[in-house]
Amino acid sequence: MTTDLISERVGGRVVSFNDEFFAEAANLLEISDPVWKPDEFTDRGKWMDGWETRRRREPGHDWCVIALGIPGQISQVTIDTSHFTGNYPEEFSLEGCGVDVDARLDDAFWVELIGRTGLQGDSVARFDLKASGRISHVRLNIFPDGGVARLRVDGHPIPGIEKVCPEIGLVDLVSLASGGEPTDASDAHYSPPSNMLRPTEPIGMWDGWETRRRRGPGNDWVVFKLGMAGVVREAVVDTRYFKGNAPGWVSLGVSDDGKVWKEVLSRVEVEADSINHLVLATETHARWVKLDIHPDGGVARFRVMGMSDSESAGAKRLHYLNSLLGQSATGFFHTACRSTRWVSSMLASRPFSTVGEVVEAAEVSFLELEESDWLEAFAGHPRIGEKGDAVANREQAGSANADQAVLAAIGEVNRRYEEKFGFTYIVYATGKSAREMLAIAEKRIENSRETEIKIASREQQKITATRLRRMLCIQED
């Protein structure tokens, strides 16, 4: 089963475009099918339900950059030119990249997802893609100009590490953004239960799950496979916009195998048009959940809040790391160590089978380094006692509140150290006070350069290992 990664209902949005003279690029992301209104015009021309650019009178082509609502691996793309007959593009292409924020798009590594391909007017064309890494943004190119009604992008979500890291506390274990999906339901007459798992806020009664009116005994229900297995602590049953048609009560069951079920919430009353937070009396591990609504009705959003277990979270983090593209992959390892050779070795070691392999590969990659590589790694650190990036400042927290006399002494020992050895004083600073780091430096400055660079390299290895563990959210032993 694939997931809608791009529509406005899952948070997709237009970032930039070169032209939208006749019709807005945001129409590409509408989840509804395009419509035709023969008598509707605007002050710029015929109203069209899609994205349409002006007639191009100079060389080049038109384009639009879109941020996926749910980053992931793309498996299918749909280009819909419905109702565009004499004004559709002759050809299109699609590119993708993986970046954390829009601000990094200028330096992004773009990969070709679909090469330049011919289009037909008033038609729907689907393209199956091979795995191309974690995509966060796509760029739709049309040649030379014209209109496209809808762009659909379906695939498999790959949440960022920050979404599954145990340090952030409770997460939504069933969200579409983490790979949650409904596997069975009693009824989907008005709308599918997958709507409940969208990571966006509901915008209307149609933007949820609603069953027909039940006339016989029993109740309606949905079974979900969690995107991340874990310990369930709370269920959120959001009935916003459902006023005269919300369920009267709900119950919740959990399972680790999808066969044997344990009821953890028993027929709890819920309010209509409200966000109902239902805290479990006993925390329970689960891989599947079953939501029963009594007797029928509609639910806008359903959240299963809990702590992902180490196995499930580890698999998600590993999938993220293995699927990073271009500068995103390089930047990840560069944060841990600034040696270009070490970063290249780590990139070549992918894919990793376990998170433990990442740390092991780091140690092996260090064995390949020469003095010039170590010096490059050392140069990536601020001097002890000086401000650096967020990562370095966290490591050097022990010097943040040091008195001026100690900081002055550290500054002087840094100067003497660099004058003698020709590189920055490197010490594993995590958990050490400014005075401790000063004492270590004063002792090590008596070493020969040959001895000191070996010590500094071992300190660099420890720093890198700790950074990797934190970046991968691996719990410290």
Side-chain angles (χ1 to χ4, degrees):
M1 179 177 176
T2 58
T3 298
D4 165 21
L5 303 179
I6 200 173
S7 79
E8 27 77 24
R9 294 289 176 83
V10 298
R13 56 189 172 78
V14 172
V15 176
S16 59
F17 51 83
N18 73 313
D19 187 277
E20 57 172 6
F21 185 84
F22 287 113
E24 296 180 357
N27 292 334
L28 289 167
L29 308 183
E30 289 284 343
I31 201 166
S32 60
D33 291 334
V35 298
W36 172 249
K37 298 180 180 181
D39 299 322
E40 187 160 342
F41 289 81
T42 73
D43 60 357
R44 294 194 172 191
K46 178 70 183 74
W47 180 90
M48 296 297 292
D49 189 9
W51 169 48
E52 186 180 5
T53 67
R54 73 190 78 203
R55 298 188 186 215
R56 178 170 284 274
R57 303 306 187 198
E58 65 284 330
H61 69 276
D62 295 326
W63 54 268
C64 177
V65 174
I66 300 167
L68 301 185
I70 302 176
Q73 286 185 327
I74 298 174
S75 58
Q76 188 178 79
V77 171
T78 302
I79 303 292
D80 185 343
T81 59
S82 293
H83 312 302
F84 288 90
T85 55
N87 53 347
Y88 61 91
E90 289 185 331
E91 298 174 304
F92 87 99
S93 69
L94 190 71
E95 301 167 279
C97 71
V99 295
D100 297 327
V101 292
D102 294 349
R104 296 185 179 178
L105 283 170
D106 289 342
D107 300 318
F109 173 74
W110 291 88
V111 297
E112 184 178 80
L113 300 174
I114 301 175
R116 195 160 170 166
T117 303
L119 279 176
Q120 298 296 318
D122 196 25
S123 63
V124 178
R126 292 185 175 84
F127 303 85
D128 293 325
L129 274 61
K130 294 182 179 179
S132 57
R134 183 179 189 264
I135 302 296
S136 63
H137 295 71
V138 294
R139 181 162 58 202
L140 174 63
N141 302 300
I142 57 175
F143 303 93
D145 55 33
V148 175
R150 297 289 188 269
L151 174 65
R152 312 290 192 202
V153 173
D154 297 289
H156 304 281
I158 303 178
I161 287 178
E162 73 283 356
K163 300 294 185 183
V164 299
C165 180
E167 291 183 2
I168 67 174
L170 298 185
V171 296
D172 183 3
L173 302 174
V174 77
S175 171
L176 286 177
S178 66
E181 59 180 356
T183 58
D184 198 6
S186 62
D187 185 285
H189 181 77
Y190 289 109
S191 46
S194 58
N195 288 355
M196 291 187 287
L197 307 186
R198 289 172 175 162
T200 53
E201 294 296 307
I203 59 174
M205 197 168 64
W206 61 90
D207 187 22
W209 170 55
E210 185 180 3
T211 70
R212 73 188 77 205
R213 296 188 185 214
R214 179 170 285 273
R215 299 308 188 190
N219 66 279
D220 289 320
W221 51 266
V222 185
V223 173
F224 298 96
K225 183 178 181 181
L226 298 180
M228 294 183 290
V231 176
V232 180
R233 294 187 178 179
E234 178 184 355
V236 180
V237 178
D238 183 344
T239 60
R240 280 179 288 178
Y241 302 103
F242 290 94
K243 300 176 181 180
N245 53 348
W249 305 266
V250 301
S251 53
L252 188 72
V254 300
S255 174
D256 265 333
D257 58 9
K259 299 175 183 179
V260 179
W261 293 88
K262 174 183 178 182
E263 188 174 71
V264 291
L265 284 174
S266 178
R267 203 175 172 85
V268 179
E269 186 175 3
V270 293
E271 295 184 15
D273 194 26
S274 300
I275 301 176
N276 298 271
H277 293 270
L278 309 175
V279 180
L280 275 61
T282 305
E283 298 175 356
T284 309
H285 188 275
R287 298 180 185 276
W288 279 266
V289 298
K290 182 184 179 188
L291 173 67
D292 286 88
I293 60 174
H294 304 275
D296 55 26
V299 176
R301 294 291 185 267
F302 176 56
R303 313 293 189 204
V304 176
M305 307 305 295
M307 296 284 290
S308 56
D309 62 33
S310 57
E311 180 183 357
S312 180
K316 294 289 184 181
R317 296 193 294 269
L318 198 64
H319 194 191
Y320 170 86
L321 179 57
N322 286 335
S323 64
L324 287 177
L325 295 169
Q327 287 95 327
S328 295
T330 300
F332 181 91
F333 290 114
H334 197 249
T335 299
C337 179
R338 297 297 179 91
S339 164
T340 302
R341 181 180 292 189
W342 182 86
V343 170
S344 297
S345 179
M346 292 299 291
L347 291 172
S349 298
R350 296 190 304 168
F352 299 104
S353 300
T354 66
V355 289
E357 277 189 14
V358 184
V359 178
E360 292 173 9
E363 294 296 324
V364 172
S365 297
F366 276 128
L367 299 177
E368 303 171 1
L369 302 188
E370 299 175 355
E371 180 174 312
S372 59
D373 303 312
W374 290 116
L375 295 178
E376 184 182 19
F378 300 162
H381 294 276
R383 296 181 178 91
I384 297 298
E386 295 183 1
K387 293 291 184 181
D389 59 21
V391 175
N393 291 341
R394 175 180 176 175
E395 291 167 346
Q396 290 196 41
S399 64
N401 299 316
D403 59 50
Q404 290 301 311
V406 173
L407 290 176
I410 289 176
E412 174 59 20
V413 81
N414 280 334
R415 183 193 65 77
R416 290 168 48 216
Y417 186 99
E418 291 176 24
E419 187 176 88
K420 179 175 182 179
F421 299 121
F423 53 83
T424 304
Y425 166 47
I426 302 297
V427 65
Y428 183 80
T430 301
K432 292 183 175 65
S433 68
R435 289 186 181 277
E436 287 177 303
M437 290 185 280
L438 173 60
I440 292 170
E442 289 175 334
K443 181 178 180 181
R444 282 171 48 185
I445 205 170
E446 302 301 323
N447 293 330
S448 66
R449 189 179 188 282
E450 181 181 6
T451 297
E452 184 55 25
I453 199 168
K454 290 180 181 179
I455 294 174
S457 67
R458 289 196 293 270
E459 294 294 288
Q460 174 67 58
Q461 286 180 266
K462 289 193 293 183
I463 293 167
T464 300
T466 296
R467 287 185 177 186
L468 281 175
R469 293 181 72 86
R470 285 174 177 165
M471 291 158 63
L472 289 167
C473 294
I474 302 173
Q475 294 295 325
E476 297 295 336
D477 297 331

